[in-house]
Amino acid sequence: MSKYRVLIAANDEKGIVYKVSTVFFNYALNMLSNNEFVDKENNKFFMRSVVDGDVNPDELQKSLNDVLPKGSSIEVIEPKKKNIIIMATKEMHALGDILIRHEAGELEANILAVVSNYDKLESLVSKFNIPYITVSHENLERVEHESKIIECIDSFKDVDYIVLAKYMRILTPRFVEAYEDKIINIHHSFLPAFIGANPYKQAYDRGVKIIGATAHFVNNNLDEGPIISQEIIHVNHAYGWKDMQRSGKDVEKIVLSRALKLALEDRIFVYANKTVIF
Amino acid sequence: MSKYRVLIAANDEKGIVYKVSTVFFNYALNMLSNNEFVDKENNKFFMRSVVDGDVNPDELQKSLNDVLPKGSSIEVIEPKKKNIIIMATKEMHALGDILIRHEAGELEANILAVVSNYDKLESLVSKFNIPYITVSHENLERVEHESKIIECIDSFKDVDYIVLAKYMRILTPRFVEAYEDKIINIHHSFLPAFIGANPYKQAYDRGVKIIGATAHFVNNNLDEGPIISQEIIHVNHAYGWKDMQRSGKDVEKIVLSRALKLALEDRIFVYANKTVIF
Amino acid sequence: MSKYRVLIAANDEKGIVYKVSTVFFNYALNMLSNNEFVDKENNKFFMRSVVDGDVNPDELQKSLNDVLPKGSSIEVIEPKKKNIIIMATKEMHALGDILIRHEAGELEANILAVVSNYDKLESLVSKFNIPYITVSHENLERVEHESKIIECIDSFKDVDYIVLAKYMRILTPRFVEAYEDKIINIHHSFLPAFIGANPYKQAYDRGVKIIGATAHFVNNNLDEGPIISQEIIHVNHAYGWKDMQRSGKDVEKIVLSRALKLALEDRIFVYANKTVIF
Amino acid sequence: MSKYRVLIAANDEKGIVYKVSTVFFNYALNMLSNNEFVDKENNKFFMRSVVDGDVNPDELQKSLNDVLPKGSSIEVIEPKKKNIIIMATKEMHALGDILIRHEAGELEANILAVVSNYDKLESLVSKFNIPYITVSHENLERVEHESKIIECIDSFKDVDYIVLAKYMRILTPRFVEAYEDKIINIHHSFLPAFIGANPYKQAYDRGVKIIGATAHFVNNNLDEGPIISQEIIHVNHAYGWKDMQRSGKDVEKIVLSRALKLALEDRIFVYANKTVIF
């Protein structure tokens, strides 16, 4: 008896739940949980089921493929720890939050390495017996620097997600394309407000009463990838921008860890530059 | 072609989604939305589907009944305006919020009447051409007073919900039983904190940093019925209890109206003194 | 014995609190509440005191002026109902919320009139015996239409605030300048995200997980005036943009009413396109 | 030139701000920030000023004492790292959050030691070169166990705060009295809801739609001490109590760290079993 997560994205048509549940029934699978969503605007059907039973996952995948509309995306995933690489620069809060969760056994993940353009976080990371790799950008063109990072990442096998825990350098399209829908970033504003550099300074200058953070997948346009999770806190006139930055850290780390958890549990569909999350 | 809301609460068993979706498929129904939940602790299955098609609702209900476990609750509801009676005492905010929504056409409801133990709100209610009935409790035993209110309510036909929009008198078991799972109350605290009278005063005395409101169905135990919706706001030492009361009004009215909307859209299952809400 | 609100904005300098409190002490005033803030970046001092005592307000103002740095803004305000004009278009929720609060006696305000470019809200407003003035924009140039509205507003005396309760037309600089720091608008996004038309559609297209509303003073640049209050709610993939719009209404009306209350209680300083709020 | 935090709690009387600011002025002190609050119910005045200047703190304290009502509490505090001892049991999240903040240099605190009744957290704490002291409660009466802990704490000098980062044992009055207003606890509910053991299970059984956490000073009555900070998250029917527990951890750690920061910055007054926080 095994447990599987079944993820289906298909063009919507009448009877689609009937067809899927018939397949599950024929394999005598028990549905432990089930979520569905139809995007009527785009006529798209999304479904995430957790099933329990005695079935070969490839066979289940094939059977579903036989009944579902052509071009459907069907995944049958056996829950296990995913492999992640964390990228960071100098700040400790978001990285530290992931390290503590990892240490506590809360994350369905192996942290293969932490990669940074500075050595500042090495003493923290090494406490946890996790490889820390400094790839300095000094005296390097952006492309050269990224090539070194790609080389570094690709020296690991089966990397499921790259988590940008306040990695403060802009990624080139080449990098982003190499890991499509696999790079999770935390941006320190409620996007799309305050795209780009120093959002807290921007927020302060604008006199906002709310600041926030956004976890999103990275695509080629800076801070414009599909949003996974957002959270805010209230601020007031007494907050200088450094105060906003300080207070914002708590939101950033919680939002990034929340997004990572959703990814590790295979709860996120990416579609039309948006996410469907169950 | 008609639209129906199908609500199912059943003992959970393997194949239950398969069976329901087979019935839908056989009637050529289109599932516009679908939500499911299994309460594993109690082995209970809940499902709310919105379907679209050409079917006799009684026949659909019967067909579902034929395939579902014995004792299942199955409702096939044609969306239409429900009939509500509002009860209030002296405060205007929660009642006013419902009146404005009603006037704006936002509510799937006919307001049959507003019943109060005072005449204070009559001038407001009568602006909206809604019957206002004062049933004073003065010089009456609680049971006598309630008998008069029950008589008043029962003079209307097909009352779907009774909304207590800050009705400040305790209801007896007789009243509550007469309208089981039909009475929606707003309590001005995040239950179960501050049960009973003057929760803002209690909150102030306790020095809380958060106050809230809870919409719930009423059962025989004061403030202990199934919770539908809750919301909070932050307060600080500068809030006296009257400030809390004033600020709390915004939360109260929003939470009550939100709960009423959920009820009117048939989104709430009541089970084991809790709610499942889709 | 009278109560006064004293509002001071001055260049910061050593001893400023000492000087103000000495004046209060010399007049034997009792400080019921006191808030201060120093904007160190701009070297600006803000203070709002509520004092109680037997004093001539003009004399108090003069005495404060004598001790404070040249160029200070000093107001001694006797609390009383302010005069407001509400402008709206077709939506009922924000306007209705203010009408109910007014009816309940919650607002320190007289509503002189509701001005709209449509007659749709007349039946609501007239229930409350408040003048409703339709100034249609049909067949008029923007400037002509605005001239008519200005004429209409100026037919009332002593207008303290103009409240844009979902008035859906863009105001020209001429209009804005005529009522500087007196026009309070509700924008249906957490500014600066989604400036301009149909922010809910924009938010939906961007796939955000949070929507919000912003109350702000209006200046010449669309949606860029000083922010007074902001609030958000969480949404998810199941929200179409109409759902966002519907849910957003509750945030809009609460935020606008909150901002209005702050203005009516003389709690807002406007400075450097921001607000200091006590 | 030094910076001082001046904290005053006094019976309110006319002229109190005048008197304090006169003292500041006479010492040529610059007020960097100033907060005041009058609790009218209890006729109590609270003030926290940060001043900058060349003054002997004892002399300043004495001068303030000379002008303030008899029985006033006056503290002149030079900002410096405070000494804290953390107590924990088996859970990592709240402790880990403090350790990371400490490592990042965010906390105005030296962590003297972590004391636990289990050795489970030793491997985490020892990574950070912080003493970990296991004081097992096995085979010991509560009083004996506590005596050992008190002995352990008292082996450190100048302990400013004891932080209960999910220390899961009830403290006796003797312990609490020994460290009055110095013990900060995180309780995993929004008090006063769900006092006592396993609040998440209680919350689940009650069917709440909101869960929360409360940081408070500990006094003799379990979970009834002065509240410092509270925060909540929304939950729904799909949350089992273990899910609530898991999600609640994020709130717990943020709230505890926030309360600790307030304490370390001398921003909290405790009065009448409440807190005044600037």
Side-chain angles (χ1 to χ4, degrees):
Chain A
M1 293 285 282
S2 295
K3 199 182 277 192
Y4 298 99
R5 297 170 185 158
V6 181
L7 275 75
I8 295 168
N11 290 325
D12 190 35
E13 58 173 42
K14 208 182 278 188
I16 202 161
V17 175
Y18 161 70
K19 285 166 188 167
V20 172
S21 60
T22 303
V23 171
F24 289 170
F25 188 71
N26 290 341
Y27 282 107
L29 298 176
N30 195 19
M31 281 170 82
L32 300 179
S33 77
N34 188 37
N35 291 93
E36 295 156 26
F37 171 64
V38 176
D39 176 345
K40 286 179 192 69
E41 195 183 17
N42 295 297
N43 198 41
K44 271 277 171 183
F45 171 85
F46 300 91
M47 179 171 180
R48 179 185 185 273
S49 293
V50 181
V51 297
D52 196 9
D54 192 11
V55 68
N56 176 299
D58 294 337
E59 201 185 314
L60 176 58
Q61 204 272 352
K62 206 188 152 306
S63 298
L64 288 166
N65 198 50
D66 288 347
V67 301
L68 284 166
K70 232 175 123 173
S72 297
S73 155
I74 304 159
E75 291 178 274
V76 179
I77 300 164
E78 191 163 1
K80 62 171 184 189
K81 287 197 176 180
K82 291 187 171 33
N83 296 318
I84 67 174
I85 286 178
I86 304 174
M87 290 174 66
T89 292
K90 286 178 169 178
E91 287 172 279
M92 213 172 262
H93 59 288
L95 171 62
D97 198 63
I98 297 173
L99 292 175
I100 294 288
R101 286 174 201 267
H102 182 254
E103 183 76 13
E106 270 182 43
L107 289 186
E108 279 189 28
N110 304 307
I111 303 177
L112 303 180
V114 175
V115 180
S116 176
N117 50 330
Y118 287 96
D119 60 5
K120 198 184 161 207
L121 300 166
E122 178 156 21
S123 92
L124 174 68
V125 173
S126 59
K127 291 183 202 310
F128 293 89
N129 298 316
I130 290 167
Y132 186 89
I133 303 162
T134 304
V135 184
S136 173
H137 62 279
E138 275 182 63
N139 305 318
L140 292 181
E141 299 284 320
R142 183 177 303 279
V143 172
E144 284 177 284
H145 179 237
E146 261 190 16
S147 292
K148 286 189 154 205
I149 288 183
I150 290 174
E151 199 180 314
C152 165
I153 292 173
D154 290 350
S155 71
F156 294 92
K157 271 191 294 196
D158 300 326
V159 178
D160 292 293
Y161 289 105
I162 296 164
V163 182
L164 306 184
K166 302 282 286 182
Y167 179 70
M168 303 306 279
R169 289 178 61 83
I170 292 169
L171 301 170
T172 70
R174 185 181 57 140
F175 189 99
V176 172
E177 279 159 23
Y179 310 101
E180 204 191 337
D181 294 346
K182 294 192 158 198
I183 309 172
I184 299 172
N185 184 43
I186 182 71
H187 182 77
H188 35 317
S189 83
F190 45 73
L191 290 174
F194 310 126
I195 285 173
N198 210 338
Y200 291 121
K201 185 66 172 56
Q202 291 183 57
Y204 170 75
D205 288 341
R206 181 63 187 88
V208 298
K209 302 299 186 188
I210 280 177
I211 58 172
T214 305
H216 63 101
F217 288 112
V218 179
N219 67 10
N220 282 335
N221 297 311
L222 180 63
D223 302 334
E224 297 195 353
I227 293 171
I228 305 168
S229 186
Q230 298 188 292
E231 196 50 88
I232 60 98
I233 51 169
H234 291 262
V235 293
N236 59 45
H237 60 263
Y239 283 68
W241 79 263
K242 297 242 172 209
D243 301 304
M244 291 185 179
Q245 189 182 48
R246 238 183 322 266
S247 300
K249 284 180 179 177
D250 283 358
V251 183
E252 293 170 20
K253 75 184 184 192
I254 295 299
V255 169
L256 178 60
S257 289
R258 204 181 279 167
L260 177 58
K261 188 170 187 288
L262 293 168
L264 296 175
E265 296 178 356
D266 301 304
R267 294 181 176 277
I268 312 176
F269 291 84
V270 174
Y271 179 69
N273 206 41
K274 298 185 191 180
T275 59
V276 171
I277 298 178
F278 292 129
Chain B
M1 294 284 282
S2 294
K3 200 182 279 193
Y4 298 98
R5 297 170 186 158
V6 181
L7 275 74
I8 296 168
N11 291 325
D12 190 35
E13 57 173 42
K14 208 181 278 188
I16 201 161
V17 175
Y18 161 71
K19 285 166 187 166
V20 172
S21 60
T22 302
V23 171
F24 289 171
F25 187 71
N26 290 340
Y27 281 108
L29 298 176
N30 195 18
M31 282 170 82
L32 300 178
S33 77
N34 187 36
N35 291 93
E36 297 156 24
F37 171 65
V38 177
D39 176 344
K40 286 178 192 70
E41 197 184 18
N42 295 298
N43 198 41
K44 271 279 173 184
F45 171 86
F46 301 91
M47 181 171 178
R48 179 186 186 272
S49 293
V50 181
V51 297
D52 196 8
D54 192 10
V55 68
N56 177 298
D58 293 337
E59 200 185 317
L60 177 57
Q61 205 271 351
K62 206 188 152 303
S63 298
L64 287 167
N65 198 50
D66 289 345
V67 300
L68 284 166
K70 232 177 123 172
S72 297
S73 155
I74 303 160
E75 292 179 273
V76 179
I77 302 165
E78 193 164 359
K80 61 171 184 188
K81 287 197 177 183
K82 292 187 170 33
N83 295 317
I84 67 173
I85 285 178
I86 304 173
M87 291 174 66
T89 293
K90 288 180 170 177
E91 286 172 280
M92 213 172 262
H93 59 287
L95 171 62
D97 198 63
I98 297 172
L99 293 174
I100 294 287
R101 286 174 200 268
H102 182 254
E103 183 76 12
E106 271 182 45
L107 287 187
E108 280 188 27
N110 305 306
I111 304 177
L112 302 180
V114 175
V115 180
S116 176
N117 50 328
Y118 288 95
D119 61 6
K120 200 186 160 204
L121 300 166
E122 179 156 22
S123 94
L124 173 67
V125 172
S126 60
K127 292 183 200 310
F128 294 89
N129 299 316
I130 291 167
Y132 186 90
I133 304 161
T134 303
V135 183
S136 173
H137 61 278
E138 273 181 67
N139 305 319
L140 292 181
E141 300 283 321
R142 182 177 303 280
V143 171
E144 286 177 286
H145 179 238
E146 260 190 15
S147 292
K148 288 188 153 207
I149 288 183
I150 290 174
E151 199 180 313
C152 166
I153 291 172
D154 290 350
S155 74
F156 295 91
K157 268 190 296 197
D158 301 325
V159 178
D160 292 295
Y161 288 106
I162 297 164
V163 182
L164 307 183
K166 303 282 289 180
Y167 179 70
M168 303 307 279
R169 290 178 60 84
I170 292 168
L171 302 170
T172 69
R174 184 181 59 140
F175 189 98
V176 173
E177 278 159 24
Y179 310 102
E180 201 190 341
D181 295 344
K182 294 191 159 202
I183 310 172
I184 298 173
N185 183 43
I186 183 70
H187 182 77
H188 36 317
S189 82
F190 45 73
L191 290 173
F194 310 126
I195 286 172
N198 209 339
Y200 291 120
K201 185 70 170 58
Q202 290 183 57
Y204 170 76
D205 288 340
R206 181 61 187 87
V208 298
K209 302 299 184 186
I210 281 176
I211 58 172
T214 303
H216 63 101
F217 288 112
V218 178
N219 66 11
N220 282 337
N221 297 312
L222 179 63
D223 303 333
E224 296 195 353
I227 293 171
I228 304 168
S229 186
Q230 299 187 293
E231 197 51 86
I232 61 100
I233 50 168
H234 290 262
V235 293
N236 60 44
H237 60 263
Y239 284 68
W241 80 262
K242 296 241 172 208
D243 302 303
M244 291 186 179
Q245 189 181 50
R246 234 180 329 261
S247 301
K249 283 180 180 176
D250 283 356
V251 183
E252 292 169 21
K253 74 184 184 192
I254 296 297
V255 169
L256 179 61
S257 290
R258 202 181 282 166
L260 177 58
K261 187 170 188 287
L262 293 169
L264 295 174
E265 296 179 356
D266 302 303
R267 294 180 177 278
I268 312 176
F269 291 84
V270 175
Y271 178 68
N273 205 42
K274 297 185 192 182
T275 58
V276 170
I277 297 177
F278 292 129
Chain C
M1 294 285 283
S2 295
K3 200 182 277 194
Y4 298 98
R5 296 170 187 158
V6 181
L7 276 74
I8 296 167
N11 291 324
D12 191 35
E13 57 173 44
K14 207 180 279 187
I16 202 160
V17 175
Y18 161 71
K19 286 166 187 166
V20 173
S21 59
T22 301
V23 171
F24 289 170
F25 188 71
N26 290 340
Y27 282 108
L29 299 175
N30 196 17
M31 282 169 82
L32 300 177
S33 77
N34 187 38
N35 290 93
E36 297 156 25
F37 171 64
V38 177
D39 177 344
K40 285 177 194 69
E41 197 183 19
N42 295 298
N43 197 41
K44 270 279 172 182
F45 171 86
F46 301 91
M47 181 170 179
R48 179 186 186 272
S49 293
V50 181
V51 297
D52 196 10
D54 192 10
V55 68
N56 176 297
D58 294 336
E59 199 185 316
L60 176 57
Q61 206 271 353
K62 206 186 153 306
S63 298
L64 287 167
N65 198 51
D66 289 346
V67 301
L68 285 167
K70 231 175 125 172
S72 297
S73 154
I74 304 159
E75 292 180 273
V76 178
I77 302 164
E78 192 163 0
K80 62 171 184 190
K81 287 198 176 181
K82 292 188 170 31
N83 294 319
I84 68 174
I85 286 178
I86 304 174
M87 292 174 65
T89 292
K90 287 178 170 178
E91 288 172 277
M92 212 172 263
H93 59 287
L95 171 62
D97 199 62
I98 296 172
L99 293 175
I100 294 287
R101 286 175 201 266
H102 182 254
E103 183 76 12
E106 271 182 44
L107 288 187
E108 280 188 28
N110 304 307
I111 303 177
L112 302 180
V114 175
V115 180
S116 177
N117 50 330
Y118 288 95
D119 61 6
K120 203 188 156 204
L121 300 166
E122 179 156 20
S123 93
L124 174 66
V125 172
S126 59
K127 291 183 201 310
F128 293 90
N129 298 317
I130 290 166
Y132 186 89
I133 304 161
T134 304
V135 184
S136 173
H137 62 279
E138 274 182 66
N139 305 319
L140 292 181
E141 300 285 319
R142 183 177 303 280
V143 170
E144 285 177 286
H145 180 237
E146 261 190 16
S147 291
K148 287 188 153 206
I149 289 184
I150 289 174
E151 201 181 312
C152 167
I153 291 173
D154 290 350
S155 72
F156 294 92
K157 270 190 294 195
D158 300 326
V159 177
D160 292 294
Y161 288 105
I162 297 165
V163 181
L164 307 184
K166 303 282 286 181
Y167 179 70
M168 304 307 278
R169 291 178 60 82
I170 292 169
L171 301 171
T172 69
R174 185 182 57 141
F175 189 98
V176 173
E177 279 159 23
Y179 310 102
E180 204 191 337
D181 294 347
K182 294 192 158 199
I183 310 172
I184 298 173
N185 183 44
I186 182 71
H187 182 76
H188 35 319
S189 83
F190 45 72
L191 289 173
F194 311 126
I195 285 172
N198 210 339
Y200 292 122
K201 186 68 170 57
Q202 292 183 56
Y204 170 76
D205 289 340
R206 180 63 188 88
V208 297
K209 304 298 185 188
I210 280 176
I211 57 173
T214 304
H216 63 101
F217 289 111
V218 178
N219 67 11
N220 282 337
N221 297 311
L222 179 63
D223 302 335
E224 297 195 353
I227 293 171
I228 305 168
S229 186
Q230 299 187 292
E231 196 51 87
I232 61 101
I233 52 168
H234 291 262
V235 295
N236 60 45
H237 60 264
Y239 284 69
W241 79 263
K242 297 241 173 210
D243 301 304
M244 290 185 181
Q245 190 181 48
R246 234 178 330 262
S247 301
K249 284 179 180 177
D250 283 357
V251 184
E252 292 169 21
K253 74 184 184 192
I254 295 298
V255 170
L256 179 60
S257 290
R258 203 180 281 168
L260 177 57
K261 187 170 188 288
L262 292 169
L264 296 174
E265 296 178 355
D266 302 304
R267 294 181 177 278
I268 312 177
F269 291 84
V270 175
Y271 178 68
N273 207 41
K274 300 185 190 180
T275 59
V276 170
I277 298 178
F278 291 128
Chain D
M1 292 285 283
S2 294
K3 200 182 277 193
Y4 298 98
R5 297 170 185 157
V6 181
L7 277 75
I8 296 167
N11 291 325
D12 191 34
E13 58 173 42
K14 208 181 279 190
I16 200 160
V17 175
Y18 161 71
K19 285 167 188 166
V20 172
S21 59
T22 302
V23 171
F24 289 170
F25 188 71
N26 290 340
Y27 282 108
L29 298 176
N30 195 18
M31 280 171 84
L32 301 177
S33 77
N34 187 37
N35 291 93
E36 297 156 25
F37 171 64
V38 176
D39 177 345
K40 286 178 194 68
E41 196 183 19
N42 295 297
N43 198 42
K44 271 278 172 182
F45 171 85
F46 300 92
M47 180 171 180
R48 179 187 184 271
S49 294
V50 181
V51 297
D52 197 8
D54 192 11
V55 68
N56 177 298
D58 294 336
E59 201 186 314
L60 176 57
Q61 206 271 354
K62 204 186 154 305
S63 297
L64 288 167
N65 198 51
D66 288 347
V67 300
L68 285 166
K70 233 175 126 172
S72 298
S73 154
I74 304 160
E75 291 179 275
V76 179
I77 301 166
E78 192 164 358
K80 61 171 184 188
K81 288 198 175 181
K82 292 189 170 32
N83 295 317
I84 67 173
I85 285 177
I86 304 173
M87 291 174 66
T89 292
K90 287 178 169 177
E91 287 172 278
M92 212 172 262
H93 58 288
L95 171 61
D97 199 62
I98 297 172
L99 293 175
I100 294 288
R101 286 174 200 267
H102 182 253
E103 183 75 12
E106 270 183 43
L107 287 187
E108 278 188 29
N110 304 306
I111 304 177
L112 303 180
V114 175
V115 180
S116 176
N117 50 329
Y118 287 95
D119 61 6
K120 202 188 158 205
L121 300 166
E122 178 156 22
S123 92
L124 174 67
V125 173
S126 59
K127 290 183 202 310
F128 294 89
N129 298 317
I130 290 165
Y132 186 90
I133 303 162
T134 304
V135 183
S136 173
H137 61 278
E138 273 181 66
N139 304 319
L140 293 181
E141 300 284 321
R142 183 177 303 280
V143 170
E144 284 176 287
H145 179 237
E146 261 191 15
S147 292
K148 286 188 154 207
I149 289 184
I150 290 174
E151 199 181 313
C152 166
I153 291 173
D154 289 351
S155 72
F156 294 91
K157 270 189 294 196
D158 300 325
V159 178
D160 292 294
Y161 289 105
I162 297 165
V163 182
L164 307 184
K166 302 284 286 182
Y167 179 70
M168 303 306 280
R169 290 177 61 83
I170 292 168
L171 301 170
T172 69
R174 185 183 56 142
F175 189 99
V176 173
E177 280 159 23
Y179 311 102
E180 203 190 337
D181 293 346
K182 295 192 158 200
I183 309 172
I184 298 172
N185 184 43
I186 182 71
H187 182 77
H188 35 316
S189 83
F190 43 71
L191 291 174
F194 310 127
I195 285 172
N198 210 338
Y200 291 121
K201 184 70 171 58
Q202 292 183 56
Y204 170 76
D205 288 341
R206 182 61 187 89
V208 297
K209 302 299 184 187
I210 280 176
I211 57 172
T214 304
H216 63 101
F217 288 111
V218 179
N219 66 12
N220 282 337
N221 297 311
L222 179 63
D223 302 334
E224 299 195 351
I227 292 171
I228 305 168
S229 186
Q230 298 188 293
E231 197 49 88
I232 61 98
I233 51 170
H234 290 263
V235 294
N236 60 45
H237 60 263
Y239 284 68
W241 77 264
K242 298 242 172 207
D243 302 304
M244 291 185 180
Q245 189 181 48
R246 233 178 332 260
S247 300
K249 283 179 180 177
D250 283 357
V251 184
E252 292 169 21
K253 74 184 184 193
I254 297 299
V255 170
L256 179 59
S257 290
R258 202 180 282 167
L260 177 57
K261 188 169 187 288
L262 293 169
L264 296 175
E265 296 179 354
D266 301 304
R267 293 180 177 280
I268 313 175
F269 291 83
V270 175
Y271 177 68
N273 206 41
K274 299 185 191 182
T275 59
V276 171
I277 298 178
F278 293 128

